[in-house]
Amino acid sequence: MEAVNNIVGHLGLSEEQKQKLLMHFSEPTKYGLINALTNLANQTKNVDEQIKLEEFVGQILQSPLKDFEVERYGEG
């Protein structure tokens, strides 16, 4: 949830976009986040918005994996 909130704030996404992103964010990993953002971009009708989302996905892909590790409750 924290990752989604950070992305929503960073990209200026609407509440509707946030809900769609959460619907697709089923795997709490860097790649789950990438999949969720890609799905959101595919559902977005505004081409400029699609490009913004896809460029952000590219930034995530280039970031170190440790920047996107998710701690799970009860582990560690």
Side-chain angles (χ1 to χ4, degrees):
M1 189 65 176
E2 183 179 347
V4 171
N5 286 332
N6 288 339
I7 289 169
V8 168
H10 180 73
L11 296 176
L13 301 179
S14 68
E15 184 62 31
E16 180 182 350
Q17 289 173 309
K18 177 182 177 179
Q19 293 307 315
K20 288 180 180 179
L21 186 59
L22 285 170
M23 260 183 9
H24 296 291
F25 189 33
S26 58
E27 181 186 332
T29 66
K30 173 181 178 175
Y31 302 105
L33 186 57
I34 288 168
N35 286 334
L37 284 164
T38 302
N39 279 316
L40 180 60
N42 289 335
Q43 293 178 2
T44 302
K45 294 178 183 172
N46 181 308
V47 174
D48 291 332
E49 193 72 22
Q50 287 176 341
I51 291 168
K52 179 173 78 170
L53 290 165
E54 291 168 355
E55 287 175 342
F56 191 70
V57 165
Q59 291 174 13
I60 293 172
L61 279 169
Q62 294 176 2
S63 297
L65 185 60
K66 66 178 179 58
D67 290 349
F68 294 91
E69 289 177 352
V70 177
E71 292 183 29
R72 298 179 191 216
Y73 293 105
E75 291 185 8

